[in-house]
Amino acid sequence: MNQEKIGKFICYLRKEYKMTQQELAEKLNVTDRAISNWENGKNIPDLSLFKPICDIFNISINELLSGEKLQENEYQEKLEENIINTVIFEKNKRKVFKKIILSALGVITFIILIIFGSLFIIDNKRMGDDKPVVFSTWGNKNYWPMYEYKKQDMEKSIKRYFLTKMDKTYTDHNNETFNLVNFVVVHTFLIDIKSDNEIIVYLWAIYGSRLDKNYDDEIINPNGEISSPYKIVLKKTNDGYEILNVYAPNDKTKIDYVDSYLFIKNYFPKNILKKVANYDKTLLYQELYNLIENYVYQ
């Protein structure tokens, strides 16, 4: 089926009948742009328009598909040829339509994947920054809304753990013993919820002490501030959270940079490695100092 030849034939007939493209379009209930596309060979009329076109120009469908008026002796030959070409054309048309549909579905799927991937990356970063997620139905507990898993309650349990490990008294060089008030400040980087019995919290903690009385020679942080990254495993209980395991660089009072870096590299998830390694602890220290300095004496 020769689209260009059919288009030129329609153009020839229209001019022969002294009709404009707009007039022909109105008779066929199509746009003049459609007529122009037929005549330029860009496409051919829909099958449903074949008979109306033939009625307007007083030709047979066989002649329309041949793109010319036929003599009686060539009519049958052209008819068989046009039938075959029409079947082939319709098959090809369906294939093209199927390809268009599949391509459109592919584009839509790609866009959806891009959107979901972007939301996943955004949520991953927001979770690392301890902010609410944007899209909370990933099917992964790391990204569920944390209504049942309260960050504040987790941090309270963790602070309580550190407080129980700290010295309760301080003995100076005169062997005089003083009671200590202990303080803990934490910054949580990520909460990874595996199940009720395995909640992993990645954080940086700092803790220090002060005397519980206002002595003139008061000693703040007699043991020095302990600042370190931690990986802490908890489980959810009816009363809150229970500490199962605590991982830290080592047990030294002062943690050096190399210890911290190696610990972070070995124990922290890759998605927050850089953030934790470059973490500025200034605000953490300031919060601790504020707690210590503003302590109200008993």
Side-chain angles (χ1 to χ4, degrees):
M1 189 180 296
N2 191 324
Q3 288 186 192
E4 188 175 347
K5 188 175 181 181
I6 292 172
K8 288 181 178 179
F9 187 46
I10 292 174
C11 181
Y12 165 77
L13 294 171
R14 176 178 61 79
K15 291 178 179 179
E16 184 178 48
Y17 277 72
K18 295 183 171 52
M19 296 172 61
T20 65
Q21 289 183 343
Q22 182 62 42
E23 288 172 339
L24 178 58
E26 290 174 358
K27 289 180 179 293
L28 296 172
N29 290 321
V30 298
T31 64
D32 56 345
R33 181 65 178 272
I35 305 297
S36 177
N37 287 337
W38 300 345
E39 295 183 355
N40 291 326
K42 292 182 180 179
N43 51 46
I44 63 172
D46 188 77
L47 286 175
S48 62
L49 294 174
F50 281 6
K51 190 173 186 309
I53 291 172
C54 292
D55 290 342
I56 291 171
F57 297 128
N58 196 28
I59 58 173
S60 66
I61 292 178
N62 194 16
E63 289 176 315
L64 177 61
L65 294 177
S66 299
E68 60 182 342
K69 291 187 177 180
L70 301 174
Q71 301 298 321
E72 188 175 344
N73 60 347
E74 57 185 355
Y75 197 88
Q76 185 61 35
E77 180 183 349
K78 283 289 184 179
L79 176 62
E80 293 173 0
E81 181 183 328
N82 286 329
I83 291 173
I84 293 172
N85 287 339
T86 301
V87 172
I88 294 172
F89 178 80
E90 283 301 309
K91 283 185 177 179
N92 291 336
K93 191 175 178 181
R94 281 194 292 272
K95 285 182 181 179
V96 171
F97 181 73
K98 186 177 180 180
K99 286 182 179 179
I100 292 172
I101 293 297
L102 290 176
S103 297
L105 289 174
V107 171
I108 292 170
T109 302
F110 178 75
I111 292 172
I112 291 173
L113 289 175
I114 290 293
I115 293 172
F116 271 71
S118 300
L119 286 170
F120 182 86
I121 293 170
I122 291 170
D123 280 352
N124 193 24
K125 185 176 185 307
R126 289 180 69 85
M127 287 289 286
D129 292 339
D130 192 28
K131 296 178 181 178
V133 296
V134 177
F135 192 76
S136 58
T137 55
W138 292 106
N140 181 327
K141 283 192 174 181
N142 293 342
Y143 301 96
W144 285 5
M146 299 178 63
Y147 300 127
E148 297 180 9
Y149 301 92
K150 301 290 187 182
K151 174 191 162 191
Q152 294 86 347
D153 293 342
M154 291 183 198
E155 290 185 347
K156 282 181 182 178
S157 298
I158 292 168
K159 289 178 181 178
R160 194 179 305 118
Y161 167 85
F162 285 125
L163 290 171
T164 60
K165 300 294 181 182
M166 296 173 67
D167 294 335
K168 304 297 187 299
T169 59
Y170 166 71
T171 303
D172 65 11
H173 57 280
N174 295 320
N175 288 325
E176 186 174 358
T177 300
F178 303 91
N179 291 328
L180 290 176
V181 180
N182 298 316
F183 304 89
V184 178
V185 178
V186 301
H187 177 103
T188 301
F189 294 101
L190 179 67
I191 298 174
D192 186 0
I193 302 170
K194 306 293 187 183
S195 68
D196 283 356
N197 294 319
E198 187 181 9
I199 303 168
I200 304 174
V201 181
Y202 300 90
L203 57 84
W204 201 292
I206 182 171
Y207 42 99
S209 309
R210 76 167 297 162
L211 303 181
D212 70 346
K213 297 295 181 183
N214 188 12
Y215 296 97
D216 292 336
D217 58 343
E218 70 176 45
I219 301 172
I220 297 177
N221 301 331
N223 297 319
E225 306 91 355
I226 300 177
S227 168
S228 175
Y230 288 87
K231 173 185 175 182
I232 299 179
V233 182
L234 309 90
K235 75 172 183 178
K236 197 172 187 298
T237 65
N238 293 332
D239 299 326
Y241 297 90
E242 178 185 341
I243 307 293
L244 299 180
N245 286 297
V246 177
Y247 302 90
N250 54 41
D251 296 327
K252 292 189 303 182
T253 300
K254 290 289 188 179
I255 310 297
D256 64 30
Y257 176 81
V258 175
D259 290 328
S260 296
Y261 177 78
L262 292 176
F263 175 77
I264 292 166
K265 186 176 180 181
N266 291 331
Y267 285 90
F268 277 54
K270 290 183 179 179
N271 61 315
I272 59 171
L273 278 180
K274 185 176 180 181
K275 178 180 177 181
V276 180
N278 297 327
Y279 176 56
D280 181 1
K281 298 177 286 296
T282 304
L283 293 178
L284 202 65
Y285 276 91
Q286 188 60 55
E287 186 176 347
L288 176 66
Y289 293 154
N290 289 341
L291 288 175
I292 292 174
E293 291 175 3
N294 295 323
Y295 169 68
V296 177
Y297 297 101
Q298 305 301 313

